Amino acid sequence: MNFIKFFIPIGMAILILACEGEQKPKQLFEIELAGKKKDYKNLESVAVAIKNKKGKTIDKVSYSIDGQILELKGDKLNLDVTRLGLKELKAVIEYEGKTAEITKNIRVLSNAAPEIYTYEIINEYPHDLKAFTQGLEFYNDTLYESTGSGGNAKSFIRKVDFKTGKVLQQKDLAKEYFGEGITILNDKLYQLTWRKGLGFVYRLSDFKELNTFQYGKSKEGWGLCNDGNMIYKSDGTEKIWLLDPETLTEVSHIETVTNKSIFNKANELEYVDGKIYANVWQKESMMIIDAESGAIEGVINMAGLKNRVKKHDNLDVLNGVAYNPTRGTFFVTGKNWDKLFEIKIKKK
């Protein structure tokens, strides 16, 4: 009987030690930021501390976001990140010969409000009012367009003489596909479909289908553009995905943010000099997005254009933006609009 009593305390001690050994890092430590907020501005210096729940001896702490080590001066952490949006702040804690990693979810927003822009109409050209425009892009001074299945019309891609509206070449999609954005890279035309999770790759010269690709984490297909190396894809959320043009896999993403919130609904896209110009779904406006950080640097008020087109039952929203590098101007239109507008964008 005494033998049993002797071993009970030892067993309990072993059990307690085992439990302590199994403690997870979040049971030992917690990241505490000043103000206990969820939203912070990029480049903001914020007081940070580690809540030491079990009184451990901490030797060193380092912080990072997206693998990027953040500068720590005293108790102030500099939130200097390359890409904005919803982020995981990681702390690596060295204590008593051990290492623990803990995280905290925060939102890193832009440190500047978007500037306001307007437009100046340079020219007006004819546009097919039966074209439910989804994608618009110039290549070698020729306009390429993709459409969705608006009304009774099928989705298609086409090559157009923008000055006359004459269709030079066209390929219809099968009726089960709702066509979306396009972009052109390395003599190939890439096209999205809306909710089928499928994209098409065509030979630019004759629209021969070369390949198809499946979406990854992106929910839908909305807009496309490219920077000469990577393809950017919008899906109706706050994310713009970066696709490898060879494999069409989603390798990373940016999130579109202002100084106040994370914003969604980027639709048709156009890349110009490090910026993405994006139609805002169901709005008479466009965003100017920094392609690296996701910061919405500008908002273009496009109000008034719809009043200049023919009124009819199938008239729909502004959609479609293309930059003509030869002319240094943008071209915009809308779904079932009878006009294509050449504009210059300027600060208000």
Side-chain angles (χ1 to χ4, degrees), residues 219-284:
K219 295 181 178 181
E220 297 179 351
W222 284 42
L224 283 180
C225 67
N226 76 84
D227 63 4
N229 294 302
M230 299 295 290
I231 293 174
Y232 297 80
K233 173 185 183 291
S234 63
D235 67 351
T237 71
E238 73 282 358
K239 294 181 174 66
I240 295 179
W241 300 86
L242 278 72
L243 278 61
D244 183 311
E246 296 300 320
T247 64
L248 281 309
T249 55
E250 297 163 357
V251 296
S252 62
H253 70 269
I254 60 173
E255 296 178 29
T256 53
V257 306
T258 68
N259 59 318
K260 293 183 178 181
S261 66
I262 297 177
F263 190 76
N264 58 14
K265 304 302 183 184
N267 196 6
E268 222 278 278
L269 309 178
E270 181 75 355
Y271 181 96
V272 184
D273 296 333
K275 312 299 178 187
I276 297 173
Y277 292 75
N279 287 129
V280 181
W281 172 236
Q282 294 288 1
K283 300 291 184 181
E284 290 186 289

Side-chain angles (χ1 to χ4, degrees), residues 16 61 84 204 265-266 296 314 316 346:
I16 290 169
V61 182
L84 308 178
L204 183 61
K265 304 302 183 184
I296 300 173
N314 293 322
D316 214 311
K346 56 185 184 179

Side-chain angles (χ1 to χ4, degrees), residues 31-37 40 46-49 77 89 104 106:
I31 301 172
E32 292 186 329
L33 296 175
K36 297 182 178 179
K37 304 182 296 183
Y40 297 87
V46 57
V48 64
L77 186 66
L89 173 63
K104 185 179 186 67
I106 63 172

Side-chain angles (χ1 to χ4, degrees), residues 1 6 58 184 186 194 266 278 287:
M1 191 65 153
F6 175 76
I58 297 176
I184 297 166
N186 299 327
W194 184 18
M287 298 181 286

